[in-house]
Amino acid sequence: MPEYKQVEIQRDIFVFQSLIGCRVGDLYRMTKQNVINNAIEYIPRKTKDGNPVTVRVPLNDKAKAILEKYQDHEGNKLLPFISEQKYNDAIKKLLNWQR
């Protein structure tokens, strides 16, 4: 069922986001070029203007597996993102299923 597939994708993105500990906005700006030597490198938006510092987060096996699962999705974005609002809605739906 397509609805469940979409929730599965968003669950994977949520788990990935949790594993690397970034804000949604920063995650959505990431591209495949942010993966460097088994780590994610990015400049958090919140510090970009004041004191830009590149953050390097090593990827564990679960994070690598998620990236591998979606490596063939279209475009240059890191993962198959939908709008941030729909992402939030999908996560709420997923958490309600867990009750």
Side-chain angles (χ1 to χ4, degrees):
M1 294 178 15
E3 178 183 5
Y4 295 114
K5 180 65 176 168
Q6 190 56 239
V7 172
E8 175 188 348
I9 293 168
Q10 301 318 307
R11 178 209 59 205
D12 290 345
I13 292 172
F14 179 74
V15 169
F16 183 82
Q17 178 188 0
S18 299
L19 291 169
I20 66 170
C22 72
R23 293 177 182 87
V24 172
D26 291 331
L27 179 68
Y28 269 57
R29 280 192 300 284
M30 289 182 190
T31 66
K32 295 172 184 176
Q33 285 71 40
N34 288 99
V35 180
I36 301 169
N37 295 325
N38 291 314
I40 289 284
E41 292 187 10
Y42 70 103
I43 299 173
R45 181 183 55 169
K46 200 158 193 151
T47 62
K48 188 175 184 179
D49 297 329
N51 185 20
V53 175
T54 300
V55 174
R56 179 176 168 76
V57 181
L59 298 172
N60 66 18
D61 290 340
K62 181 64 176 175
K64 290 178 196 175
I66 291 170
L67 289 179
E68 186 175 323
K69 182 176 180 179
Y70 298 105
Q71 70 183 354
D72 294 330
H73 78 89
E74 291 183 24
N76 195 38
K77 291 288 186 181
L78 185 62
L79 294 164
F81 300 123
I82 56 176
S83 74
E84 288 184 35
Q85 183 58 53
K86 288 181 181 179
Y87 173 65
N88 289 336
D89 293 342
I91 298 307
K92 287 177 189 174
K93 181 179 283 189
L94 175 67
L95 293 174
N96 284 329
W97 280 343
Q98 300 300 318
R99 289 182 179 187

